[in-house]
Amino acid sequence: MEVSSEYAVQMHGILKKFGVFTALDHVDLDVKKQTVHAILGENGAGKTTLMNILYGLYQADEGGIYLNGEEVKIATPTDAIKHGIGMVHQHFMLVENFTVTENIILGDEVCGAAGVLDMKKARQEVQALVEEYGFDVDPDAVIEDITVGMQQRVEILKALYRGAEILILDEPTAVLTPQEIEKLIEIMHDLIAKGKTIIIITHKLKEIMQSSDECSIIRRGVYMGTVNVKETNETDLASKMVGRNVNLTVEKTKAHPGEPVLSIQGLTVKDERGIDQVRDLNLEVRAGEIVGIAGIDGNGQQELVDAITNIVKAQAGTIKINGEEVQNTTPRNTYTHSVATIPSDRHRWGLVLPFAVSENTVLERHVDEEFGAGITLDYDKLKSYTTELIEKFDIRPSGCEDERMSGLSGGNQQKAIIARMVSAAPNLLIAFQPTRGLDVGAIEFVHKTLIAERDRGAAILLISFELDEVMDVSDTIAVIYHGQIVGTYEQGTVDENELGLLMAGGGAK
Amino acid sequence: MDSIILLIGITLMYSTPLIFGALGGVISERSGVTNIGIEGMMVIGAVAGASASYFTNNPWIAFLVAGICGGLVALLHAIASVSFAADQTVSGVAINLLAPGLALFLCRYFFDGAAMSPIVEKMPKVFGDSWMAGTVYSNLNVNVTTIIALLLTIATWFVLYRTKWGLRVRAVGEHPAAADTLGIDVYKVRYVCVILSGVFAGFGGASMTIGIISQFTQTAISGHGFIAMAAVIFGKWTPFGAYGACLLFGGTQALTVLLGGGSFPIPSQILAMLPYAMTIIVLVLFVGRSVAPKADGVPYIKGSR
Amino acid sequence: MKALIKFLRKPIASSIVAILLGFLVAAVVLAVAGYDPLGSFGALFSGALGRPKYIANVIIKATPILLTGVGVAFAFQTGLFNIGAEGQYILGTILTSIVGVMVDLPPVLEIPLLICCGIFGGALLGAFIGFLKAKFGIHEVITSIMTNWIMLYLCNFVVMSDTFHKENSTSALPINTSGYTTILYNWKKSDAGIEFLNGIPWLKEVLLKTDLNIGFIVGILVAIFAGWLLSRTKLGYELRAVGYNRDAARFSGINVDRSIILCMVISGAFCGLAGSLNITGISPHAITQLAAQEGYGFNGLSVAFIAGCSTVGCIPSSLLFAGLIYGGMSVQQVMGAPSDIINIMIGTIVFFIALPGITNALADWIERRHKEPDPNEVPVAKDGTPLPKREA
């Protein structure tokens, strides 16, 4: 492609290696001015790396960057900001105990003499910006008190405050409700009308169709081409992204629910700040069914799981497993009631990364006589047991029993957790964000395993922030908002918009 | 009444080295670097202050020299914990192992193998040496370092909460990656803060050897740096909070002196435990209620989020 | 060159490089201060190894720091920083002393009793620190330092108390001789013993001029036991899991609070044992008034770090440190250079141990200069930290 001033951004022949691993192999990108350009690829395909190079967080080993037809050198984020590039990261880069204004001016402060902050003037500038773009944000609010949607707008304001002409949005919809997504797309089109250019990184096909003009596809660090969104469809994009035909639907038979395994009555849980996160919540999960909990992050999902697993105390209510109350006991007690949990943050809760794979697979079960008599631990037995799991669950690389868990890829780490949980044949399996950060192949594996466990007769509680996942996998869909279940539906009896409204608190009881 | 004035006077005196140390802790931890080496930096400040005062006969210059030497030791901690992403506790402990050895080595080198310095010139008192001499009120004629400590507390507060540098320091301590993406040099901010913490700690050591006692001894600094660390926690990582906490610990120490001098039937060894026991008790009562800066103690590695 | 690079990438390399750097820094400091570094090091070595009794004294000096080192290493492997080894050591000596003075049983009962007292003292204080950490989340480093000073004053209190103070001295009464663990304590002073020893001059020197005792053997057994406990038992597995990832351990049903307290109990027990062996093993077999920390705890810390926090590795590293400390005294006698140079050296060594990846960085640097690309190279960022592998 010719270098031309018609394009806001052009990146040609970008090569980036981390050691021997090639993250980007001569990737090209051409973004026309005043368009929304999507970059599509699986987790780990290299799309974020590409944008981090554009934003100056990484340096390319080869290749050139051109803005408005002129070659530029971007060595640091400061350079990027100077060239009018702004980036909204997937995990927001906001200081949680700062106000909106403080976050926006950070690094480019409004000062009087001798570096003394002029907060009054700063506030006025932020207010003017908020009004110009019609964002619904209070400049004096503290970040930790405002919604995720608002935080995202603060991130966009940060870029605009620095005079960004080109905005990079990394997975901007991952944490939003359908309604908030619509609002975001509106904002994006509004910004285009005001002369900006937007690049969005995503692996969600539907949003590309709704929001973008063009879409570039990256697969395992290789550029697969750019398509005009009007001339393509979701299935086509999906196969380009993955490299094979993918089945976008989850196949399963009808559920045959049995007796209740988990029943929660009037559960109330406070967080460490003393605020009620779960309020008088009722929930039932029966054997042989998957109950999916839809909701936006921060509506009590974490505290709900923590209460069931006895990581935190419940202030009120009962949690019964097969009729026995387990609340306010110990994590071990929950486990001995045949409950296994796939945690949301596998690095924090699920794995001991410096341990060998074989040491990780017996967390929970290491106390069994099977793994050593008396106080000793039988490492040979650990290893042979792990070898079985590695074969059964196809954990790669094979023969990794003695390797450190930290050396495995995210997908294989997740497989190791699932292997560990499923091998206990639990009566209740809790899966909290089980596909976070996984690629399409691994997601398929997780979903199939959940359904297989259901068909074995286990009760499954699936909690996910991805609405599509909840809608595709669950037999029963419950919506959580503000610590309460605000609606329960059979699969297929409810559409996305209705759920989205409930997730955002619309129509709450 | 007299004993209350005495108590106030001694409290201010004993809390001064702690305040300097605690301010150092605040500034370092606010930028996200745990500094357990405060103790060692205070020891270096103590020996540097006493030696410089001996050789120059000018305690003001000696005070500055102590700060510079503390800062130099802190530079080591900064290199380890910022550039090498070392375990900050281990690095701080290494400083604490190194510093007393270095301090004694220097002391013996300067003073013909003696483990303590001769009596040296002290920093002046606020109202001059003869103010109210002989009365109990002379106890309120505090050393000028006590006033410097108060001014430094106010200055630290002002910089942290009212200037752009303070905003940046706090941002780096809470969310270094966010600061990085806005073009703030996280490493530079942390280097400056850790070195400043060493300068403050050096002042603290000097305020002991050329403010309270007028010589360097092996036990001049004995756990003061760690009590200052506790004051940082108790003071919720704010300058004024730490100042208040140090007054409390200083008060405990003053009480020890007062009770020890009186006719109380408590053995001196048991009284000597009081400040240390008090520190533990205060931590038990208050630690759960204060929240450290989010990135405190976590090395920042560029590109990892 | 390849061999050098390969060596630098091994874990033990960082210890060796740190020791060399420690000597280097000490040499520079000595030279700047006007002393002859080579002569000083010569005095150091001959002071540590020059005569049989020197070697015996090094072993005696190594005993307490081996045990405190094992205590520190044990705690560190489970994620805790037991800087309170000093205080636990002191409480061990206090209890051993008190019971040793008050109780006089036959040696077969007295010695185990005294050793149990020491262990109990250390374990008790460890439990206190662990409890504060587990229940209130107070950083163990701060409580440890505070208890170190409290124990120091407690020791002085006991020494000066009417019941235990030995008149006209700064020490307490010695324990009953039935509690002595010095090797062949009675025989070596008997006529038969002296006559026998006259035939073997080196043994005579070692036995009669030093307090060679059973301590180091006990220390070796404890180091091996601690290693076994950590790497081959369910308890060790749990403790290490808690050390590496407290949240994941808790999530998997391990009682984290209990583990923290237990770990500190065990670690403290090792340190208390060190105190007990010093009282029973070497003269004056009594606690004495302390002006400052004696450094058993802090030296134990250095021993543990040099050993890479392997409990068995503490055996050679404690000998190394004891050699430095004991030999260091000759530096002052022979060369006139302050013996504190040894503490500077030790601090420097620990500081370089604390810098992770310094040997890796060195290896990279050599590699870059010699351009021998290694296909198995681990991706390493500029600062020497390995980069995360890519998600599959």
Side-chain angles (χ1 to χ4, degrees), chain B residues 53 77 182 197 247 261 265 281:
Chain B
S53 180
H77 186 55
L182 295 175
S197 83
L247 285 184
I281 292 166

mmCIF file with all atom_site columns, all heavy atoms in Angstrom, chain B residues 53 77 182 197 247 261 265 281:
data_model
loop_
_atom_site.group_PDB
_atom_site.id
_atom_site.type_symbol
_atom_site.label_atom_id
_atom_site.label_alt_id
_atom_site.label_comp_id
_atom_site.label_asym_id
_atom_site.label_entity_id
_atom_site.label_seq_id
_atom_site.pdbx_PDB_ins_code
_atom_site.Cartn_x
_atom_site.Cartn_y
_atom_site.Cartn_z
_atom_site.occupancy
_atom_site.B_iso_or_equiv
_atom_site.pdbx_formal_charge
_atom_site.auth_seq_id
_atom_site.auth_comp_id
_atom_site.auth_asym_id
_atom_site.auth_atom_id
_atom_site.pdbx_PDB_model_num
ATOM 1  N N   . SER B 1 53  ? 30.362 16.962 62.088 1.00 0.00 ? 53  SER B N   1
ATOM 2  C CA  . SER B 1 53  ? 30.342 18.012 63.099 1.00 0.00 ? 53  SER B CA  1
ATOM 3  C C   . SER B 1 53  ? 31.698 18.088 63.792 1.00 0.00 ? 53  SER B C   1
ATOM 4  O O   . SER B 1 53  ? 32.210 19.174 64.093 1.00 0.00 ? 53  SER B O   1
ATOM 5  C CB  . SER B 1 53  ? 29.240 17.734 64.117 1.00 0.00 ? 53  SER B CB  1
ATOM 6  O OG  . SER B 1 53  ? 29.216 18.744 65.104 1.00 0.00 ? 53  SER B OG  1
ATOM 7  N N   . HIS B 1 77  ? 19.440 1.131  47.547 1.00 0.00 ? 77  HIS B N   1
ATOM 8  C CA  . HIS B 1 77  ? 18.117 0.508  47.634 1.00 0.00 ? 77  HIS B CA  1
ATOM 9  C C   . HIS B 1 77  ? 17.319 0.785  46.362 1.00 0.00 ? 77  HIS B C   1
ATOM 10 O O   . HIS B 1 77  ? 16.602 -0.077 45.862 1.00 0.00 ? 77  HIS B O   1
ATOM 11 C CB  . HIS B 1 77  ? 17.386 1.047  48.860 1.00 0.00 ? 77  HIS B CB  1
ATOM 12 C CG  . HIS B 1 77  ? 16.077 0.366  49.127 1.00 0.00 ? 77  HIS B CG  1
ATOM 13 N ND1 . HIS B 1 77  ? 15.963 -1.002 49.267 1.00 0.00 ? 77  HIS B ND1 1
ATOM 14 C CD2 . HIS B 1 77  ? 14.817 0.859  49.260 1.00 0.00 ? 77  HIS B CD2 1
ATOM 15 C CE1 . HIS B 1 77  ? 14.699 -1.314 49.478 1.00 0.00 ? 77  HIS B CE1 1
ATOM 16 N NE2 . HIS B 1 77  ? 13.984 -0.211 49.474 1.00 0.00 ? 77  HIS B NE2 1
ATOM 17 N N   . LEU B 1 182 ? 0.847  7.649  30.606 1.00 0.00 ? 182 LEU B N   1
ATOM 18 C CA  . LEU B 1 182 ? 0.677  9.091  30.419 1.00 0.00 ? 182 LEU B CA  1
ATOM 19 C C   . LEU B 1 182 ? 2.026  9.790  30.311 1.00 0.00 ? 182 LEU B C   1
ATOM 20 O O   . LEU B 1 182 ? 2.127  10.999 30.445 1.00 0.00 ? 182 LEU B O   1
ATOM 21 C CB  . LEU B 1 182 ? -0.130 9.678  31.578 1.00 0.00 ? 182 LEU B CB  1
ATOM 22 C CG  . LEU B 1 182 ? -1.563 9.163  31.619 1.00 0.00 ? 182 LEU B CG  1
ATOM 23 C CD1 . LEU B 1 182 ? -2.285 9.679  32.835 1.00 0.00 ? 182 LEU B CD1 1
ATOM 24 C CD2 . LEU B 1 182 ? -2.308 9.564  30.351 1.00 0.00 ? 182 LEU B CD2 1
ATOM 25 N N   . SER B 1 197 ? 13.900 9.664  50.598 1.00 0.00 ? 197 SER B N   1
ATOM 26 C CA  . SER B 1 197 ? 13.618 8.990  51.862 1.00 0.00 ? 197 SER B CA  1
ATOM 27 C C   . SER B 1 197 ? 14.914 8.732  52.627 1.00 0.00 ? 197 SER B C   1
ATOM 28 O O   . SER B 1 197 ? 14.962 8.831  53.848 1.00 0.00 ? 197 SER B O   1
ATOM 29 C CB  . SER B 1 197 ? 12.853 7.685  51.626 1.00 0.00 ? 197 SER B CB  1
ATOM 30 O OG  . SER B 1 197 ? 13.725 6.637  51.297 1.00 0.00 ? 197 SER B OG  1
ATOM 31 N N   . LEU B 1 247 ? 4.880  11.283 67.549 1.00 0.00 ? 247 LEU B N   1
ATOM 32 C CA  . LEU B 1 247 ? 4.724  11.943 68.849 1.00 0.00 ? 247 LEU B CA  1
ATOM 33 C C   . LEU B 1 247 ? 4.297  10.923 69.896 1.00 0.00 ? 247 LEU B C   1
ATOM 34 O O   . LEU B 1 247 ? 4.779  10.935 71.029 1.00 0.00 ? 247 LEU B O   1
ATOM 35 C CB  . LEU B 1 247 ? 3.689  13.062 68.765 1.00 0.00 ? 247 LEU B CB  1
ATOM 36 C CG  . LEU B 1 247 ? 4.117  14.356 68.077 1.00 0.00 ? 247 LEU B CG  1
ATOM 37 C CD1 . LEU B 1 247 ? 3.007  15.393 68.180 1.00 0.00 ? 247 LEU B CD1 1
ATOM 38 C CD2 . LEU B 1 247 ? 5.399  14.898 68.688 1.00 0.00 ? 247 LEU B CD2 1
ATOM 39 N N   . GLY B 1 261 ? 13.433 7.885  86.104 1.00 0.00 ? 261 GLY B N   1
ATOM 40 C CA  . GLY B 1 261 ? 14.086 8.846  86.992 1.00 0.00 ? 261 GLY B CA  1
ATOM 41 C C   . GLY B 1 261 ? 13.408 8.932  88.345 1.00 0.00 ? 261 GLY B C   1
ATOM 42 O O   . GLY B 1 261 ? 14.000 9.349  89.329 1.00 0.00 ? 261 GLY B O   1
ATOM 43 N N   . PRO B 1 265 ? 8.817  1.597  91.378 1.00 0.00 ? 265 PRO B N   1
ATOM 44 C CA  . PRO B 1 265 ? 9.511  0.323  91.578 1.00 0.00 ? 265 PRO B CA  1
ATOM 45 C C   . PRO B 1 265 ? 9.554  -0.537 90.316 1.00 0.00 ? 265 PRO B C   1
ATOM 46 O O   . PRO B 1 265 ? 9.391  -1.739 90.385 1.00 0.00 ? 265 PRO B O   1
ATOM 47 C CB  . PRO B 1 265 ? 8.669  -0.336 92.663 1.00 0.00 ? 265 PRO B CB  1
ATOM 48 C CG  . PRO B 1 265 ? 7.299  0.192  92.451 1.00 0.00 ? 265 PRO B CG  1
ATOM 49 C CD  . PRO B 1 265 ? 7.437  1.562  91.852 1.00 0.00 ? 265 PRO B CD  1
ATOM 50 N N   . ILE B 1 281 ? 1.564  -2.934 70.218 1.00 0.00 ? 281 ILE B N   1
ATOM 51 C CA  . ILE B 1 281 ? 0.175  -2.752 70.638 1.00 0.00 ? 281 ILE B CA  1
ATOM 52 C C   . ILE B 1 281 ? -0.562 -1.827 69.674 1.00 0.00 ? 281 ILE B C   1
ATOM 53 O O   . ILE B 1 281 ? -1.673 -2.120 69.229 1.00 0.00 ? 281 ILE B O   1
ATOM 54 C CB  . ILE B 1 281 ? 0.128  -2.192 72.079 1.00 0.00 ? 281 ILE B CB  1
ATOM 55 C CG1 . ILE B 1 281 ? 0.633  -3.259 73.056 1.00 0.00 ? 281 ILE B CG1 1
ATOM 56 C CG2 . ILE B 1 281 ? -1.278 -1.748 72.445 1.00 0.00 ? 281 ILE B CG2 1
ATOM 57 C CD1 . ILE B 1 281 ? 0.946  -2.729 74.441 1.00 0.00 ? 281 ILE B CD1 1
#
